[in-house]
Amino acid sequence: MEIKLTRDNFEKVISENKTVLIDFWASWCGPCKMIAPHVEKLSEELSDVAVCKANVDEEGELAASFGINSIPTLVLIKDGEEADRIIGYREYDALKSFVTD
């Protein structure tokens, strides 16, 4: 299940989960729409990862705190710290490797 990440629930989500994947996206972004089914599939398959979506139009302050300049941007958080990030569309297998490797 994907979590709608907001400025209000950010600290709670990060502190309660060892691994968090944040998908920064917007409704008008074509590549965001293309990657969305892959992100949803990850959320269903990886029970030990909190998969979150943050709409940059609604959560501009949160996006700015991560320095998001392009979308989609996927940020991987491990133990409360940013471990890695990817920008742009990726196929499902590449996304899964990004999160699990």
Side-chain angles (χ1 to χ4, degrees):
M1 178 186 88
E2 294 173 335
I3 300 166
K4 181 178 180 180
L5 194 65
T6 66
R7 183 175 50 123
D8 295 332
N9 70 359
F10 175 78
E11 291 297 332
K12 183 175 194 265
V13 170
I14 297 301
S15 67
E16 291 180 354
N17 295 280
K18 183 171 174 59
T19 304
V20 179
L21 177 66
I22 307 171
D23 175 14
F24 287 96
W25 69 285
S27 60
W28 46 264
C29 167
C32 298
K33 292 177 185 178
M34 292 169 53
I35 206 169
H38 302 325
V39 174
E40 184 176 343
K41 187 175 178 183
L42 284 175
S43 75
E44 294 166 0
E45 289 187 1
L46 303 176
S47 60
D48 58 335
V49 177
V51 178
C52 305
K53 293 185 72 77
N55 184 320
V56 297
D57 291 332
E58 296 172 1
E59 296 298 329
E61 187 176 310
L62 183 59
S65 73
F66 277 90
I68 303 300
N69 294 318
S70 300
I71 53 174
T73 295
L74 283 83
V75 176
L76 187 63
I77 308 284
K78 291 190 175 182
D79 298 317
E81 300 290 327
E82 181 174 339
D84 204 355
R85 68 172 57 195
I86 55 175
I87 299 170
Y89 175 80
R90 299 291 194 285
E91 293 292 335
Y92 175 76
D93 290 341
L95 285 181
K96 188 169 184 179
S97 293
F98 170 72
V99 175
T100 59
D101 287 351

